Amino acid sequence: MDATNAKGNVPMYDAPMRKAAVDVNENKISAKDVQVYYGETHAIKDVSVDILDKTVTAFIGPSGCGKSTFLRCLNRMNDTIDSCRVEGLIALDGEDIYDKRVDPVQLRAKVGMVFQKPNPFPKSIYDNVAYGPRIHGLARNKAELDEIVERALRRGAIWNEVKDRLDSPGTGLSGGQQQRLCIARAVATEPEVLLMDEPCSALDPIATAQVEELIDELRENYSVVIVTHSMQQAARVSQKTAFFHLGNLVEYGETSQIFTNPVDPRTESYITGRIG
Amino acid sequence: MPVVWLILIVLVLAVLGFIAGRMRVTTAGGARPHSLPNYYGWNVAMKVMVPAFLALVIWLLVQPFVVDGKVTGMIDEAAIPEGSTLGLVMSDVRRVADGLDLAVSRGLMTADSASSIRTESTDVRDLLANAGVALGSNVSPQVLEAAQAYRGMNHTGNLWMTVVVLALALGGLAWAVRETTLEFRARNAVEGGVRILLLAAASIAILTTIGIVLSLIGNTVRFFDLYSVSKFFGSFTWSPSFGGGSELGIWPLLWGTFYISIIALIVAVPIGLFAAVYLSEYASPRMRAWAKPLLEVLAGIPTIVYGLFALLTVGPLLLTVFGRDGLGWMQAGTAVMTAGVVMGIMLIPFVSSLSDDIINAVPQSLRDGSYGLGATHSETIKQVILPAALPGIVGAILLAASRAIGETMIVVMGAGAAARLSLNPFDAMTTVTAKIVSQLTGDADFASPEALVAFALGMTLFVMTLGLNIFALYIVRKYREQYD
């Protein structure tokens, strides 16, 4: 690893769009002593982490280390898996999301999710984006819905490419366009947190660059949590990084510090490519 | 030589060929053969069996026609007794010929005496009765002569068949063994053989369909020679009378078919679809493991049992509600409603089982995407899963519709036999299929329009279901394009 410069930036990675100072933001999600079991398997062990508002947080780690599982706990997507059991406390704005009174459906409207593989619904582009606003009743009339859809597509950086063919099926777009459509679909419901599970793993470098640029823009309004296998990507887009290994949260801190001056030897081995 | 022996010999040759083919490459030494040794074996076995069995099958199919044709030519018109036909005489000839063969094989007479037998000196009828072949009348010299010719020709035919089949098998063996060298691409040759086998299987299915249509067309044309097309498709009355002067309009039957099928689908589609959604989306794996087979048991019940159910249970039940003591709409237990409801019950497993498979095939990523946006389970099903599964579900429904249109037993027992055009679903009506059965199983002369109408009805039904299937394909394609 190269030495860091004075501001803590990483010289080996080109990150021109990075904005400074993340520590002014408050906690959005705080997890404490989270345990996750799949049947008998103990998949997540004692994970405690505070995710900040208006910040991009990256989860990195080797395959099977539990980073995706933990991400899916944050909006209770694991509820759809029968054998999965979650213990410990995960709070969104100070409220326990696993409390019995919390409706997971309402929670997921606040904590949106973008998946590894682009998964547009077999509907038109317009209907894909309008799906969330419609089920949550965010628009009172067609004009408002049109406006929401346009705003979401603009924020998804895909408006210019699809504005003339909103009625054509979303499945007909290219892979990168589909993923940006899925991001637009997720932001259309006005979430407070956006979870992204390896959003670029099925995309080519150009589409990846577009999505990364988009993530950086989304930071102005949302707290973004991204799971990624690419350490360059983590370094490029995130301000905070958490390193998972075998179900444990090994290290969590400023991205620049994790990548240049890791505290734990396991983190150092991983980012220098010795384990993975 | 009996055919069984011939088949066994060819099979033995094939096994020997297999071993020989394998041996030739495994013992050759030197370079590595192009294919695995078994491929060489299969190549030889294939070339022994395929031409030989093909020739055998064709010969067995063609020989009776040729022999019959020749023997028929030998019998002149005058030899046919009063009140008999050429067909009856020919069947006598065949029975005498078979009887003589049987007598020889039982040791009642020698092969020589069987071929030199004369009607003047022997009572052939008595002799054959001893061999266990009963004849209706005394054997005339001409019939005996024809029978002898029949035997002779069959004998020579069988002999030549044996020779040709064995020659083909041996020739194939020699050719295949000769071509078996290390460079020979046996793998590709076997691959080609497998392809032809699959092609043959596919063509048999298609040819059978064409054969069925052709067999219907002949009799349909004969019917339309006797009865006008415009009256068949233009009349709204169905009143066959075997004394002649019947009105054979198809519309009452088509209306009955349509009405009963619609009621059946109205019953089956919602119940079947909801059951499928429950099974695939809500049921726990244990529940599903129990409920799905139980639901599919419904599909295994013979339709005649459903008919009994309609006749004994559903009909009387409907009658107590809608009959004279209730609303007064229903005259008797047999009605469109009775048959429709029972047929609907029969179709539930078709719709549910197929739809369940289709819903299960919708990728999990779509469900996740919908949940991730904060949609509830039922919103996800209604707005994402069902639209994605729609082409398959439409296919399942149209398949059920084809079944409903073709169903006969439930109609016969549940809907009555009266052909009428009525809007009241509590009236007795009948369908095309039920009438086909009753027209063909009566005592009517087969050449009368009253019996032949069955073929015209069958043809109409065939065209209708074909149209429905084409429509189903069109719908499925159209939606698939949109969703891919």
Side-chain angles (χ1 to χ4, degrees):
Chain A
M1 277 276 135
D2 282 336
T4 43
N5 63 20
K7 282 189 179 139
N9 281 343
V10 192
M12 93 179 260
Y13 302 121
D14 178 30
M17 18 189 211
R18 163 132 354 108
K19 284 154 192 142
V22 290
D23 46 359
V24 294
N25 299 326
E26 65 225 29
N27 272 359
K28 190 68 189 170
I29 299 178
S30 49
K32 228 174 160 51
D33 302 329
V34 176
Q35 322 276 345
V36 180
Y37 303 87
Y38 285 119
E40 295 296 303
T41 321
H42 196 172
I44 296 283
K45 299 161 194 158
D46 283 328
V47 170
S48 299
V49 69
D50 288 326
I51 289 162
L52 303 181
D53 201 11
K54 302 202 194 310
T55 303
V56 178
T57 307
F59 289 177
I60 59 169
S63 293
C65 68
K67 53 194 188 306
S68 287
T69 301
F70 185 68
L71 187 78
R72 289 167 69 94
C73 289
L74 300 181
N75 70 344
R76 294 185 60 175
M77 277 301 280
N78 284 333
D79 288 16
T80 57
I81 300 166
D82 288 333
S83 63
C84 182
R85 197 153 48 81
V86 179
E87 288 170 9
L89 178 85
I90 300 177
L92 173 70
D93 291 330
E95 280 178 73
D96 180 9
I97 62 167
Y98 278 87
D99 192 283
K100 279 203 172 60
R101 285 165 304 176
V102 170
D103 179 5
V105 169
Q106 292 301 324
L107 170 73
R108 289 183 202 131
K110 277 200 212 168
V111 184
M113 190 155 191
V114 175
F115 296 84
Q116 186 171 359
K117 244 184 79 194
N119 56 351
F121 300 135
K123 298 169 179 289
S124 71
I125 291 169
Y126 183 93
D127 287 340
N128 259 286
V129 180
Y131 183 82
R134 273 189 185 135
I135 55 178
H136 296 300
L138 298 183
R140 269 166 308 180
N141 52 45
K142 176 84 172 102
E144 259 184 46
L145 190 61
D146 286 349
E147 199 184 310
I148 291 175
V149 168
E150 181 178 339
R151 197 168 58 227
L153 285 170
R154 278 188 194 284
R155 254 194 249 166
I158 192 179
W159 171 253
N160 286 331
E161 287 155 73
V162 298
K163 64 181 175 204
D164 299 324
R165 46 171 174 154
L166 291 175
D167 289 332
S168 56
T171 42
L173 298 172
S174 75
Q177 289 174 326
Q178 285 190 10
Q179 193 63 305
R180 278 180 285 147
L181 175 65
C182 291
I183 294 172
R185 188 176 70 183
V187 299
T189 51
E190 301 289 343
E192 296 166 18
V193 181
L194 201 55
L195 308 177
M196 297 182 152
D197 190 354
E198 298 180 41
C200 300
S201 66
L203 305 183
D204 65 38
I206 295 168
T208 302
Q210 287 166 331
V211 171
E212 283 179 7
E213 199 172 330
L214 177 58
I215 291 170
D216 202 65
E217 284 163 20
L218 292 174
R219 183 161 67 93
E220 287 176 17
N221 301 298
Y222 312 105
S223 167
V224 179
V225 185
I226 176 171
V227 164
T228 177
H229 267 132
S230 154
M231 281 172 285
Q232 285 90 335
Q233 185 172 59
R236 279 196 299 264
V237 301
S238 72
Q239 287 79 49
K240 290 273 199 178
T241 297
F243 172 62
F244 286 79
H245 185 48
L246 300 175
N248 295 303
L249 177 65
V250 175
E251 193 167 346
Y252 175 54
E254 299 288 323
T255 300
S256 50
Q257 184 248 318
I258 294 264
F259 276 93
T260 53
N261 199 7
V263 176
D264 197 286
R266 285 172 292 178
T267 316
E268 192 183 356
S269 325
Y270 181 68
I271 57 178
T272 53
R274 264 179 281 142
I275 57 169
Chain B
M1 193 185 306
V3 177
V4 182
W5 276 105
L6 198 56
I7 292 173
L8 278 179
I9 289 174
V10 174
L11 284 179
V12 167
L13 279 176
V15 171
L16 290 177
F18 182 90
I19 296 167
R22 250 190 83 101
M23 292 266 284
R24 245 177 100 90
V25 288
T26 47
T27 57
R32 219 167 65 95
H34 170 271
S35 316
L36 292 174
N38 272 355
Y39 279 115
Y40 291 96
W42 281 117
N43 177 49
V44 178
M46 195 172 79
K47 279 167 183 165
V48 171
M49 283 193 292
V50 172
F53 283 143
L54 209 62
L56 183 67
V57 168
I58 292 172
W59 199 294
L60 285 176
L61 286 176
V62 170
Q63 182 175 315
F65 282 103
V66 175
V67 171
D68 258 29
K70 284 200 172 164
V71 173
T72 312
M74 287 169 63
I75 300 169
D76 50 338
E77 292 288 320
I80 300 168
E82 192 82 13
S84 183
T85 62
L86 185 63
L88 288 176
V89 175
M90 273 308 293
S91 86
D92 258 3
V93 169
R94 277 191 288 269
R95 287 173 71 84
V96 169
D98 289 347
L100 286 173
D101 283 341
L102 203 63
V104 172
S105 69
R106 292 215 180 150
L108 293 175
M109 58 202 302
T110 61
D112 279 345
S113 61
S115 15
S116 59
I117 195 170
R118 310 284 318 159
T119 38
E120 294 84 18
S121 51
T122 333
D123 187 349
V124 180
R125 193 179 174 191
D126 243 19
L127 185 97
L128 293 185
N130 282 338
V133 177
L135 289 173
S137 60
N138 276 326
V139 179
S140 69
Q142 238 191 337
V143 168
L144 186 66
E145 193 190 326
Q148 295 292 16
Y150 184 88
R151 284 184 69 208
M153 272 188 265
N154 266 339
H155 187 75
T156 359
N158 286 342
L159 196 70
W160 275 108
M161 177 178 79
T162 311
V163 170
V164 167
V165 168
L166 286 183
L168 277 172
L170 287 169
L173 180 69
W175 174 44
V177 169
R178 237 176 59 102
E179 74 176 356
T180 303
T181 58
L182 290 182
E183 296 83 45
F184 177 64
R185 299 182 178 186
R187 200 176 169 199
N188 307 28
V190 172
E191 200 65 33
V194 168
R195 213 189 68 197
I196 291 168
L197 179 80
L198 299 179
L199 177 75
S203 359
I204 283 175
I206 294 167
L207 288 177
T208 313
T209 316
I210 294 173
I212 289 173
V213 174
L214 288 180
S215 71
L216 280 179
I217 281 181
N219 283 311
T220 308
V221 169
R222 274 170 67 196
F223 169 70
F224 284 128
D225 285 344
L226 298 169
Y227 195 84
S228 85
V229 183
S230 56
K231 267 166 82 189
F232 181 66
F233 287 111
S235 164
F236 291 99
T237 330
W238 173 269
S239 62
S241 81
F242 288 110
S246 15
E247 272 231 58
L248 301 171
I250 194 173
W251 288 108
L253 306 183
L254 277 186
W255 171 244
T257 304
F258 176 75
Y259 208 171
I260 292 176
S261 303
I262 286 292
I263 290 176
L265 289 177
I266 287 174
V267 171
V269 169
I271 297 179
L273 207 54
F274 291 169
V277 167
Y278 174 74
L279 281 180
S280 60
E281 292 292 321
Y282 289 99
S284 67
R286 266 188 61 202
M287 176 75 189
R288 193 178 141 82
W290 275 96
K292 206 177 176 204
L294 277 180
L295 199 63
E296 278 163 4
V297 163
L298 273 180
I301 299 175
T303 54
I304 187 87
V305 177
Y306 280 108
L308 289 174
F309 180 58
L311 194 67
L312 298 177
T313 314
V314 178
L317 202 71
L318 288 174
L319 199 60
T320 54
V321 181
F322 300 102
R324 216 159 297 152
D325 303 331
L327 292 166
W329 296 342
M330 204 170 175
Q331 309 303 319
T334 50
V336 167
M337 196 51 122
T338 314
V341 166
V342 173
M343 205 190 278
I345 295 169
M346 179 195 80
L347 294 177
I348 289 171
F350 280 90
V351 178
S352 76
S353 191
L354 285 170
S355 308
D356 177 53
D357 292 343
I358 293 153
I359 290 172
N360 267 327
V362 173
Q364 181 65 31
S365 68
L366 288 185
R367 286 163 228 253
D368 281 349
S370 177
Y371 295 143
L373 290 170
T376 63
H377 204 153
S378 67
E379 283 165 348
T380 303
I381 292 166
K382 202 171 67 197
Q383 300 194 26
V384 174
I385 295 174
L386 287 184
L390 192 68
I393 290 172
V394 169
I397 291 171
L398 287 171
L399 197 71
S402 297
R403 284 273 315 199
I405 289 171
E407 179 49 44
T408 314
M409 240 37 245
I410 295 176
V411 177
V412 170
M413 298 177 79
R420 84 176 77 176
L421 276 167
S422 158
L423 277 174
N424 182 358
F426 297 100
D427 272 345
M429 281 185 211
T430 193
T431 64
V432 176
T433 50
K435 276 300 157 200
I436 290 178
V437 175
S438 64
Q439 292 311 107
L440 273 185
T441 49
D443 285 339
D445 180 2
F446 195 75
S448 72
E450 285 77 19
L452 284 173
V453 71
F455 294 97
L457 290 175
M459 197 71 203
T460 317
L461 205 59
F462 177 83
V463 172
M464 269 171 55
T465 39
L466 190 72
L468 198 65
N469 283 344
I470 291 172
F471 179 65
L473 275 179
Y474 166 76
I475 292 268
V476 168
R477 285 234 180 95
K478 189 179 160 198
Y479 280 91
R480 198 155 280 162
E481 269 168 15
Q482 198 181 329
Y483 286 145
D484 247 354

